[in-house]
Amino acid sequence: MGPFIVYRGQGMLNDEFIGIRNNIGGLLSFNSFLSTSDDLKVAMEFAQRSVGRPGKTSVLFEIEVDPTLTSTPFASLNNVTSSKEKEKETLFSMHTVFQIVQVKEDNNQIWKIILKLVSNNNLQITQLTEQIRREIGEGSAIDRLGRLMIALGELEKAEAIYELLCELTSENDKKTVAWIRNQSGYIKYKQEQYSEAQAFYKDAREIQEKMRPSTDIDLAVTYSNMGLLYTNLNDTSNALLYHQKALEIREKNLKVNHQDLATTYNNIGLVYYQRQEFSTALSYYEKTLKIYQQILPANHSWLATTYKNIGLAQISKGEHTTGLDNLCKAMDIRKMVLPPNHPSIASICSTIGEVYRETKEYPTALKFYEEALVIEKNAPQINYSSLAMTYYKISRILSELKRHDSAAKYAELAVQSASKSSTPSDNDKKIYKDNFERLQTKLS
């Protein structure tokens, strides 16, 4: 494959754009998988959607790619999309590194940013590539692409990829057939189609158990996925059973610092946390952290999640100071590696605010809730359910601070936001309405 050009149109926070414009010749790395198109019109349509949005700059990335200079994983998705109108899409892996060649104002209030995919013949980029490989795992090219789609949240594309892999796989290749069943089950799990997920997992497990020990590593993945499913269904007994089965295999077959071991420890911790056995949960989270600290960069998002889990377990045990310290570590990492309007940052801010509310430190709680609110209001896609909850939490704090006028305003905003939610909770809507009416009564 020779050199080629792809495009991506999007809205970008003004501060981020200014940073790029002031760094011509420097390097730029994206903290998520990067979807691009070789159809300029498609990219322009996306760029135009942000024209005129407050706080946003509409940009069109023009990316020059020379495959002979880099081994950075990227893939053309032209033949795996399930849509009727096949978009000419190319996907780049996380942390792909580009050089900023030029930034210039194009027509229609859109800025063009010309990037060039750089050679990865240096230690830093090689390490990033190795980390990507470790996170995605081994397997055939099609399987790895399917895993990329799952990681990206492109579940329909992932489903199409595994359907294609199924067609290409002989029925006699039982090991691959079982793996496809497992991956299909995981896709259904992510789509919240739990009965179908359970059926796929059952098929995979039965095949893999008959082929032991040659399928043990794959069987551990199936057991682990079944554990996640049962955790989600609040069946903690079965969840623990299958996570322990996965752990037994992995402790026998993997190195002591393997990331799959860390994942298993974390999953078991989540089950014990769900059971409110916080000390046991904490012990498993700490095992997870010990491994991640050995194998992951200090600012990796998985570390942030682990610090959050540890913090919540400590707070549940009454260890508020150390718990808050770990929650703040999680927040700092997320602020470092995620876009400033990412919902995961809002989530951790809200969690910290809730801890301060429980300890009656209302001004500090309010500060974190307000930070979460700013992020949620500036998100590319507003989650009205989450926004309503944040308005409600702020209303409660303001009420505690005897600022009833402001509390009532936020209570009303909670009611209004809940009415815009695509997934409204009747119970939440009632809580917001009752809170608003209570505050109105106080003011009358």
Side-chain angles (χ1 to χ4, degrees), residues 31 34 55 64 71-72 98 109 120 138 161 176 195 209 232 241 252 257 260 337 383 404 406 412-413:
N31 289 315
L34 186 68
E64 302 172 9
S71 60
T72 297
F98 302 92
Q109 297 178 289
N120 58 1
E138 302 299 327
I161 288 166
T176 303
S195 296
E209 285 180 340
N232 204 273
L241 170 68
K252 188 184 298 182
N257 66 342
D260 286 350
V337 301
N383 182 332
H404 298 303
S406 296
E412 185 176 14
L413 288 169

Side-chain angles (χ1 to χ4, degrees), residues 362-419:
Y362 299 128
T364 307
L366 181 61
K367 182 187 78 170
F368 281 101
Y369 286 148
E370 287 176 337
E371 185 174 354
L373 179 63
V374 170
I375 295 168
E376 289 173 343
K377 288 170 68 175
N378 287 284
Q381 290 185 322
I382 294 177
N383 182 332
Y384 284 102
S385 293
S386 180
L387 187 63
M389 179 59 73
T390 303
Y391 280 133
Y392 169 68
K393 289 177 177 179
I394 291 175
S395 171
R396 286 193 305 170
I397 292 294
L398 291 171
S399 182
E400 293 288 352
L401 294 171
K402 310 301 181 186
R403 294 165 56 183
H404 298 303
D405 281 342
S406 296
K409 290 177 183 176
Y410 279 97
E412 185 176 14
L413 288 169
V415 173
Q416 292 172 354
S417 296
S419 69

Side-chain angles (χ1 to χ4, degrees), residues 128-301:
L128 285 173
T129 304
E130 283 303 312
Q131 181 59 37
I132 293 164
R133 288 199 186 103
R134 182 159 51 195
E135 291 178 13
I136 297 301
E138 302 299 327
S140 68
I142 297 177
D143 179 34
R144 291 200 305 273
L145 182 58
R147 296 190 204 192
L148 278 172
M149 291 296 98
I150 292 172
L152 187 61
E154 296 281 0
L155 299 178
E156 288 187 7
K157 289 177 181 176
E159 202 165 20
I161 288 166
Y162 282 108
E163 286 173 1
L164 173 63
L165 184 57
C166 186
E167 291 174 9
L168 298 174
T169 301
S170 167
E171 291 183 5
N172 295 325
D173 186 356
K174 298 294 186 184
K175 185 175 181 180
T176 303
V177 169
W179 177 252
I180 295 169
R181 294 280 195 277
N182 169 70
Q183 292 296 87
S184 298
Y186 188 68
I187 292 166
K188 293 299 182 185
Y189 164 75
K190 298 292 281 186
Q191 293 172 331
E192 299 183 358
Q193 298 177 26
Y194 299 131
S195 296
E196 292 181 52
Q198 199 165 19
F200 276 119
Y201 289 153
K202 182 175 181 290
D203 288 347
R205 176 176 60 82
E206 289 177 351
I207 295 170
Q208 290 163 342
E209 285 180 340
K210 289 176 182 176
M211 297 179 67
R212 296 190 71 177
S214 65
T215 56
D216 270 5
I217 297 300
D218 288 353
L219 179 58
V221 176
T222 302
Y223 283 152
S224 182
N225 287 344
M226 292 179 75
L228 291 174
L229 174 63
Y230 283 117
T231 301
N232 204 273
L233 295 173
N234 295 316
D235 184 348
T236 57
S237 295
N238 271 318
L240 203 54
L241 170 68
Y242 283 106
H243 282 316
Q244 292 287 5
K245 284 176 178 282
L247 180 62
E248 182 182 347
I249 293 173
R250 286 171 170 169
E251 285 184 330
K252 188 184 298 182
N253 291 278
L254 301 177
K255 294 179 180 179
V256 293
N257 66 342
H258 196 283
Q259 72 176 40
D260 286 350
L261 262 180
T263 301
T264 308
Y265 291 139
N266 178 72
N267 291 340
I268 293 173
L270 291 172
V271 177
Y272 279 113
Y273 187 86
Q274 194 170 350
R275 287 183 163 191
Q276 299 188 343
E277 297 179 36
F278 302 121
S279 294
T280 307
L282 182 59
S283 69
Y284 279 100
Y285 292 150
E286 287 171 341
K287 288 182 179 182
T288 303
L289 179 63
K290 184 178 179 181
I291 294 175
Y292 281 167
Q293 285 177 327
Q294 294 176 43
I295 66 173
L296 297 177
N299 63 348
H300 197 282
S301 60

